[in-house]
Amino acid sequence: MNKIIEKNQQLGEILSGMNRVIVAFSGGVDSTLVLKRAQQELGSSNVLAVVVASELFRKEEFEGAVNLAKKMGVNVHQTEIKELEDEGVTANTPDSWYYSKKLLYFHLNQLAKELGYDYVLDGMIMDDMDDFRPGMKARTEAGARSVLQEAGLYKQEVRKLSKELELPVWNKPASCSLASRIPYGTKLDKRKIEQVNQAEKFIAKLGFDMVRVRHHDNVARIEVTPEEINELLKHRDKIDLKLTSLGFNYVSVDLRGYRTGSMNEVLSEDVMKVEFG
């Protein structure tokens, strides 16, 4: 039997015994697959999509997730967390991701208790085991379930299953907290987050689907795919004008191009191996 079919069956078996579940729903491909399969196995009335507004994520992503969950026909609960009020998060150290996820899972567990749900599910996948993911420690401590991980599913398999299920986000690029654009040790605040947000939105409107603007104090370091660097340079004057208007003194392009976790490249092996999950 095809491995993906086997894993999808295993996912169904895991979900079918859960009764009533909350899904931490971001509108990305991973959490959308969790939501859809939970809906199929448990029925819409036993599944709640919780969409969390955060200062570290774009408003458009929150609104998109709410709309998608509604179109899928599941119950939706909109809520928020204030991560920039937590010193563990704003310190922006490698373990700040732990404190951020701890806030999230605590909030979700409270909702599950208040609303009468048995499990909190997230969208972590097998690929997350290979990167620096201190959030997995917070998940484990909170007792949340990463059902895609439990079924052994990788991103490529998640996308294939999502396409077969005709989920509109099956090929949606991965998104991440805007805090991931700011180097460890640089304290987070609303101004830096908004600088990054506005800079990326501006460049995206020029036709670049995958873009990151890394915040290095007065320097903006732009990452697009290597194939698009030449195209990006054609817009250098307008990009420079916009980003300097946002408060950057210098605007640079990373010649290595976009890559996930580029801010983790400075971490030592010892830090990467700490027991965050």
Side-chain angles (χ1 to χ4, degrees):
M1 186 182 293
N2 184 289
K3 284 188 177 181
I4 296 181
I5 295 176
E6 289 180 355
K7 290 180 180 183
N8 191 34
Q9 288 181 347
Q10 185 180 355
L11 176 60
E13 292 170 3
I14 293 168
L15 289 166
S16 63
M18 287 189 167
N19 196 24
R20 303 185 79 226
V21 301
I22 277 177
V23 177
F25 189 63
S26 67
V29 60
D30 303 324
S31 63
T32 301
L33 181 60
V34 173
L35 187 64
K36 181 64 176 179
R37 292 294 285 114
Q39 182 186 27
Q40 289 177 329
E41 296 294 336
L42 301 173
S44 297
S45 62
N46 293 316
V47 179
L48 181 66
V50 176
V51 187
V52 182
S54 163
E55 299 155 303
L56 304 183
F57 285 85
R58 292 193 176 94
K59 180 181 178 182
E60 292 87 348
E61 292 182 15
F62 172 81
E63 294 172 345
V66 170
N67 291 334
L68 176 56
K70 288 180 177 178
K71 287 180 181 178
M72 292 173 67
V74 299
N75 296 320
V76 183
H77 182 88
Q78 302 176 47
T79 186
E80 66 176 339
I81 55 176
K82 296 288 188 181
E83 290 166 293
L84 292 181
E85 294 179 2
D86 187 292
E87 292 183 359
V89 176
T90 58
N92 196 25
T93 62
D95 60 349
S96 287
W97 295 100
Y98 165 76
Y99 292 108
S100 177
K101 290 296 185 181
K102 186 175 181 178
L103 277 177
L104 173 64
Y105 290 120
F106 175 82
H107 190 62
L108 294 173
N109 277 339
Q110 288 293 105
L111 284 174
K113 184 177 180 180
E114 293 170 8
L115 301 175
Y117 286 83
D118 301 292
Y119 293 95
V120 171
L121 311 183
D122 67 21
M124 287 192 189
I125 56 176
M126 292 301 294
D127 305 65
D128 295 326
M129 304 288 288
D130 298 327
D131 196 7
F132 180 62
R133 300 284 182 178
M136 285 194 286
K137 180 186 178 185
R139 174 210 60 194
T140 302
E141 289 177 347
R145 299 281 294 273
S146 301
V147 291
L148 299 181
Q149 238 177 39
E150 291 177 28
L153 285 160
Y154 288 85
K155 176 68 77 175
Q156 186 177 2
E157 296 169 323
V158 168
R159 290 196 185 279
K160 185 171 183 179
L161 282 175
S162 299
K163 186 177 183 181
E164 291 174 357
L165 289 169
E166 298 182 345
L167 299 178
V169 295
W170 72 269
N171 62 344
K172 182 180 178 182
S175 61
C176 187
S177 165
L178 292 167
S180 67
R181 281 66 151 174
I182 299 171
Y184 292 121
T186 300
K187 189 172 182 178
L188 301 180
D189 57 44
K190 289 183 179 180
R191 178 177 179 271
K192 296 186 187 78
I193 295 297
E194 192 57 20
Q195 280 180 301
V196 168
N197 183 31
Q198 293 301 324
E200 289 187 356
K201 287 170 67 174
F202 178 80
I203 296 172
K205 286 180 180 179
L206 296 175
F208 299 90
D209 294 329
M210 185 58 69
V211 57
R212 294 288 186 266
V213 176
R214 310 295 185 181
H215 192 300
H216 299 274
D217 191 16
N218 62 345
V219 178
R221 174 169 59 89
I222 302 171
E223 294 179 10
V224 295
T225 61
E227 298 78 16
E228 293 184 310
I229 290 176
N230 286 337
E231 183 63 27
L232 180 78
L233 293 175
K234 295 177 183 178
H235 302 278
R236 60 187 182 185
D237 290 338
K238 63 179 72 173
I239 292 173
D240 182 72
L241 182 63
K242 176 63 178 181
L243 270 59
T244 53
S245 76
L246 293 173
F248 294 106
N249 293 336
Y250 305 99
V251 179
S252 66
V253 177
D254 191 319
L255 298 181
R256 294 173 63 187
Y258 168 75
R259 56 209 182 275
T260 59
S262 72
M263 287 304 197
N264 291 339
E265 293 168 357
V266 300
L267 298 179
S268 67
E269 288 188 11
D270 290 339
V271 172
M272 294 288 280
K273 290 178 181 176
V274 291
E275 208 170 310
F276 284 129

